[in-house]
Amino acid sequence: MSDKFKFAFRVATSLTLAYMIPMALGWTQPSTAATTVMLIASTGSRRESMAKGTLRVLGTIAGGIIGLLLVGLFAQDRLLYMLAVSLVVVVVFYIRSAYLNDPTLFMLTGVMILMMYNGGNAEGAFIYGIDRTFMTVFGVVVYTLVGVFLFPPKIEQNLRQLGDDLTRVQKDLFESMSVPPKQKPLAEPADSSDNGDTDVGPASPTLAELSKAVFAAQQAFETRYQTLNSECSEVSAYKKEWDGTVALYAQITELLLFAAKEQSRSGAHPIEYIRGFDELRKEVIQLFERLPDAWEKQAAHSPQPLDPVEYDGDRLEQAGHLYRGEALSSGYLINQLRERLAKLESCISSIDSLTGTVDFDLPPLKAKPNFNWWDAENAKSSIKVFVTYWIAAAFWIQFNPPGGYNFVIFSTLFVSILSFLPFHPVMLLILFTLGFVFSVPAYVFLLPQLTLGAELALFIFIYTFVGFYVLKGPVTIFFLLGMFTLGIDNNMVYHFGITLTIVTLFYMTVLSVVISYYLPFSSRPEHLLLVFRERFFRHATGVIRLLQFEQLSLWQKIQLAWRVTTMVVALKKMQVWGSKFNTDPYPSLTTERLNRYISQCDLFHHHLMTFIKARKKLNENPLLAQAQKGNRDTVIPALSQALWIADRPETERRNAELLKQDYQDLEARLDEYFSHLELEKYSNSDIAGFYIFLNLKKNIFESLLSCKQASDDVVWEELSVKRF
């Protein structure tokens, strides 16, 4: 049974129980509980917990209270009530979009506020609101209990697997960048006389490809842990050790990226100036290989003391500053790697251990923010919600369409959920029509023949299972709407006109969503790709320029945090929309070129984030601070800006060779500067820090250059052509 099967089975079971239990007990509005299950399953995560369910219940109750208060305050004045509801709902749905954890918490709050208004009928509004709140809470409870007890995922096993995957790619990167020159495989030139019969083995991955794999594995491990951290008792029981494990993994990744480079600036290799380098390399590899076994150990153990790295002192005294800097930085990184790996093994073995905990200080794990208030699409979505609410409300007041005020509720709700999602609006019409095609024969030929509750339950289960097994994400809602057109209840009134009325209501709702796709802000993928591309490099350029300052003011620190957050979000959206982008209408654009460009942007982003993390220590380096005063970097900011405004006619496209020459001139000036310094006055860690800084800057420059080369292969002008 795959994860997809288990998820569809859990949702189908939840929705069936949400229908059948209220009907068996004679409760009203069973479809409200079923709709709640559908919304949570379509928009929430696949992992359930009691804590998450409790928060959803509290959000539902809070929304019901707010909705009833608004009804009580403004029930006699419809327009004033609708104005109050529209403003409150806009705020709630904006918070829902900005919330980085389970979004259904605030979604249910907004849903309850919308549902409290009984179609403009103030009589019985309180009882109506209580019934709706109760059935919504019931749906939340059913979905939570089924999700917790039916097919519960093995959380620790999942995290261990991600940790082992990260260990493997980290080891591969270290082996590749530390292999001695005599062991490196040489690429043989192609023989023109070869007829193609010779088998050629797969090429070894480059350091850039391995670095990208490490970035991806680290991000997957951290993201999964942050998702489960607050809700999983298996993790929270050993939270200190888990936090330390994640933090140590991050430090090892950073150390590897500090040293990852295709070739040495001095032309030498650590085997030439570090004594016993082969043994040290094997020791580090063995430490990597022991990490998977540490998960199975039942007894915690302390890290063993390590022998210090020894240099060839006589050779270093006679060498120039480049050679000496390479030696000290390589020794520093190897020593730090050994220390971190030994601590990580001890920390992992302490998880689930009954014999003790770690006896050393663990690095703190930086907490992830719960909200992202800097997303422009969240603000645009809120405006879309406000506009849609009033257009639908005006249509309801003027023409009283089928479904009445429910048309306003569903239009506002679905626009808020589906705003700026990578789908084409025609797909919604197709899915709903498909659901309608399934439901009409069932309404005519199947439902009248069902006499047992078990038969009805089986029908609901199969319909829901098919929807969530075949489809995924919020678009599943429109397939399941076909079932809600049946009006399933204890007292069925079979009248095809009623079904057509409900179908018309939902077709009008789909039309509202389609209109919101274009107005008041366009959600066309070609438009959004251009927006996210420009936004990503605009803020990346701002980050690079802010990092040029030795000390940042309070305003600059706030600005740096804002630009970093916006840059990261823009890249994630560019990745999502790029993966769903259809390049067929564009003759000069291929999926491979677009994916290569986005992949290079991701690599650049990771190198820049690594530099930001190391910035605090680098700023404390006196050698580096003195060097930066007279050698300001202008090449990297200019290259980043060229990528930001590359499509503007007044901007000249810079030649890659000229950019490389400019950067080499900057490095040459630094070499000349350091040739006149007495390095004996500085500590080994200061010298190592300077060369780590140079390597980080070189990685940023080369990744930016790769971004430019990939960008030049994409004809961005084609995306600017107006298409409906």
Side-chain angles (χ1 to χ4, degrees):
M1 292 185 293
S2 63
D3 291 337
K4 183 170 65 172
F5 176 90
K6 293 177 182 178
F7 175 69
F9 193 92
R10 286 198 301 266
V11 177
T13 303
S14 302
L15 196 140
T16 303
L17 292 175
Y19 250 127
M20 301 308 297
I21 292 177
M23 292 175 65
L25 297 177
W27 295 345
T28 60
Q29 304 183 36
S31 60
T32 300
T35 304
T36 303
V37 172
M38 178 187 70
L39 291 175
I40 296 175
S42 300
T43 59
S45 63
R46 298 195 173 191
R47 161 71 183 174
E48 286 305 305
S49 68
M50 290 295 187
K52 187 184 294 185
T54 303
L55 290 175
R56 287 172 179 162
V57 169
L58 294 176
T60 301
I61 295 174
I65 293 173
I66 295 172
L68 289 175
L69 286 174
L70 293 176
V71 171
L73 291 172
F74 306 108
Q76 305 305 320
D77 191 331
R78 182 170 62 182
L79 290 179
L80 192 59
Y81 168 80
M82 295 176 68
L83 177 61
V85 167
S86 62
L87 294 176
V88 173
V89 165
V90 163
V91 173
V92 170
F93 281 136
Y94 175 75
I95 296 174
R96 172 199 172 271
S97 301
Y99 192 51
L100 300 178
N101 298 320
D102 180 24
T104 56
L105 167 65
F106 295 101
M107 182 195 69
L108 291 173
T109 304
V111 168
M112 294 311 301
I113 294 173
L114 288 170
M115 292 172 62
M116 288 301 101
Y117 193 50
N118 188 15
N121 184 10
E123 185 177 353
F126 183 78
I127 300 301
Y128 175 84
I130 292 295
D131 286 343
R132 285 242 170 174
T133 304
F134 173 74
M135 293 308 298
T136 303
V137 169
F138 178 76
V140 172
V141 171
V142 168
Y143 185 78
T144 301
L145 292 178
V146 172
V148 169
F149 294 107
L150 185 63
F151 299 130
K154 297 180 180 179
I155 301 304
E156 276 202 16
Q157 293 298 325
N158 292 345
L159 282 175
R160 290 182 183 185
Q161 182 60 47
L162 290 173
D164 290 344
D165 293 342
L166 177 56
T167 299
R168 177 180 52 79
V169 293
Q170 285 177 337
K171 181 175 77 72
D172 291 344
L173 177 58
F174 175 77
E175 284 184 315
S176 178
M177 69 188 193
S178 62
V179 62
K182 62 182 179 181
Q183 299 179 14
K184 290 185 178 180
L186 299 176
E188 296 183 2
D191 189 356
S192 59
S193 63
D194 189 7
N195 296 324
D197 297 333
T198 305
D199 293 334
V200 179
S204 301
T206 63
L207 284 183
E209 293 171 341
L210 290 171
S211 298
K212 196 180 302 182
V214 170
F215 283 133
Q218 180 71 43
Q219 189 171 10
F221 183 62
E222 289 184 355
T223 301
R224 185 64 175 167
Y225 178 70
Q226 292 294 340
T227 302
L228 304 172
N229 188 12
S230 60
E231 62 185 47
C232 179
S233 58
E234 304 165 53
V235 171
S236 59
Y238 292 90
K239 189 174 186 306
K240 174 186 175 183
E241 289 76 13
W242 272 109
D243 284 353
T245 298
V246 176
L248 285 169
Y249 264 124
Q251 289 186 352
I252 293 170
T253 295
E254 291 172 11
L255 287 169
L256 290 172
L257 297 173
F258 289 166
K261 52 188 173 182
E262 293 294 344
Q263 58 186 8
S264 166
R265 295 182 73 241
S266 66
H269 188 273
I271 198 172
E272 301 177 11
Y273 44 72
I274 294 181
R275 293 175 178 171
F277 175 78
D278 285 333
E279 289 73 18
L280 289 173
R281 181 174 182 268
K282 291 178 182 177
E283 181 183 357
V284 173
I285 294 174
Q286 288 174 355
L287 286 170
F288 275 117
E289 293 173 345
R290 278 162 34 188
L291 290 181
D293 297 332
W295 295 105
E296 307 299 331
K297 294 182 179 178
Q298 299 298 319
H301 70 280
S302 301
Q304 300 298 319
L306 302 171
D307 296 329
V309 174
E310 295 185 3
Y311 303 95
D312 187 344
D314 295 338
R315 190 166 187 174
L316 286 184
E317 288 181 1
Q318 302 173 0
H321 73 91
L322 282 178
Y323 190 93
R324 183 176 179 182
E326 291 279 2
L328 294 177
S329 59
S330 299
Y332 169 81
L333 290 167
I334 289 176
N335 199 48
Q336 291 293 313
L337 268 178
R338 294 160 69 217
E339 179 185 337
R340 297 296 188 278
L341 285 168
K343 287 184 176 181
L344 178 58
E345 182 184 12
S346 176
C347 194
I348 291 176
S349 66
S350 299
I351 297 176
D352 295 336
S353 173
L354 302 177
T355 60
T357 59
V358 293
D359 55 1
F360 53 87
D361 293 333
L362 290 171
L365 182 64
K366 185 178 180 181
K368 298 289 184 180
N370 292 322
F371 293 92
N372 174 25
W373 304 111
W374 313 110
D375 194 341
E377 277 62 46
N378 291 346
K380 293 178 183 178
S381 297
S382 299
I383 297 174
K384 280 190 176 186
V385 168
F386 185 83
V387 172
T388 301
Y389 180 88
W390 278 104
I391 292 177
F395 189 81
W396 166 59
I397 294 172
Q398 188 68 30
F399 300 102
N400 192 23
Y405 187 69
N406 286 327
F407 169 64
V408 182
I409 294 175
F410 287 121
S411 296
T412 306
L413 174 61
F414 291 150
V415 166
S416 70
I417 293 175
L418 300 170
S419 179
F420 291 107
L421 286 184
F423 71 94
H424 197 279
V426 174
M427 184 179 182
L428 302 182
L429 291 170
I430 295 174
L431 288 176
F432 178 63
T433 303
L434 186 62
F436 182 47
V437 169
F438 272 65
S439 63
V440 167
Y443 185 79
V444 176
F445 301 108
L446 183 61
L447 286 184
Q449 310 302 321
L450 301 181
T451 57
L452 299 177
E455 295 173 336
L456 179 61
L458 182 61
F459 168 75
I460 296 174
F461 179 89
I462 293 174
Y463 197 109
T464 308
F465 180 85
V466 170
F468 279 94
Y469 187 81
V470 175
L471 305 171
K472 63 180 180 178
V475 295
T476 312
I477 294 173
F478 285 88
F479 177 78
L480 292 185
L481 285 180
M483 183 173 64
F484 288 93
T485 62
L486 301 176
I488 298 175
D489 204 346
N490 275 331
N491 299 317
M492 292 290 293
V493 179
Y494 289 98
H495 192 294
F496 201 65
I498 298 176
T499 300
L500 288 179
T501 299
I502 301 175
V503 169
T504 303
L505 163 66
F506 286 122
Y507 266 118
M508 292 171 58
T509 302
V510 173
L511 182 61
S512 297
V513 176
V514 172
I515 293 174
S516 71
Y517 185 83
Y518 298 99
L519 299 172
F521 302 104
S522 175
S523 298
R524 294 181 299 111
E526 59 270 22
H527 167 74
L528 291 177
L529 271 178
L530 292 174
V531 170
F532 297 146
R533 163 179 165 264
E534 182 271 341
R535 186 183 301 165
F536 173 73
F537 279 107
R538 172 160 53 87
H539 287 280
T541 303
V543 169
I544 292 171
R545 286 174 175 166
L546 286 171
L547 294 177
Q548 300 273 39
F549 294 95
E550 297 179 15
Q551 295 294 331
L552 298 179
S553 63
L554 178 61
W555 168 246
Q556 288 174 326
K557 290 179 180 178
I558 296 174
Q559 192 178 12
L560 179 63
W562 166 59
R563 288 193 178 278
V564 168
T565 302
T566 308
M567 176 188 70
V568 173
V569 172
L571 175 64
K572 290 180 179 178
K573 292 186 176 182
M574 188 162 56
Q575 291 171 327
V576 171
W577 286 85
S579 64
K580 304 291 184 179
F581 188 77
N582 181 20
T583 59
D584 293 340
Y586 305 98
S588 303
L589 183 62
T590 62
T591 303
E592 293 75 15
R593 290 181 178 181
L594 185 61
N595 290 338
R596 183 167 63 251
Y597 170 76
I598 296 175
S599 176
Q600 292 299 335
C601 291
D602 185 42
L603 184 62
F604 158 67
H605 147 258
H606 284 301
H607 282 308
L608 184 58
M609 294 301 295
T610 303
F611 183 80
I612 293 172
K613 292 177 182 178
R615 177 177 172 273
K616 184 177 180 181
K617 280 190 175 182
L618 294 175
N619 282 350
E620 298 172 354
N621 190 326
L623 185 61
L624 187 58
Q626 185 177 355
Q628 285 182 300
K629 289 180 180 178
N631 298 276
R632 183 69 64 183
D633 179 15
T634 59
V635 181
I636 291 179
L639 177 55
S640 181
Q641 182 173 344
L643 284 165
W644 160 27
I645 56 178
D647 55 342
R648 299 186 183 180
E650 66 270 14
T651 303
E652 179 184 358
R653 295 201 172 192
R654 307 192 64 180
N655 183 274
E657 294 301 324
L658 293 178
L659 290 167
K660 289 181 180 179
Q661 184 61 45
D662 290 343
Y663 194 85
Q664 290 171 359
D665 291 343
L666 176 63
E667 288 192 331
R669 291 202 306 271
L670 286 173
D671 292 343
E672 178 65 23
Y673 173 78
F674 271 88
S675 63
H676 298 90
L677 287 180
E678 297 180 12
L679 295 182
E680 290 76 10
K681 295 181 179 179
Y682 300 94
S683 66
N684 289 349
S685 61
D686 289 340
I687 298 174
F690 170 74
Y691 284 93
I692 289 173
F693 168 81
L694 286 184
N695 191 45
L696 291 176
K697 295 282 282 189
K698 187 67 173 290
N699 288 341
I700 292 174
F701 171 74
E702 291 180 347
S703 61
L704 266 176
L705 204 58
S706 299
C707 287
K708 185 183 182 305
Q709 292 168 349
S711 178
D712 290 343
D713 293 335
V714 179
V715 184
W716 297 105
E717 292 78 7
E718 288 189 359
L719 300 183
S720 303
V721 178
K722 299 296 182 182
R723 296 175 61 249
F724 181 74

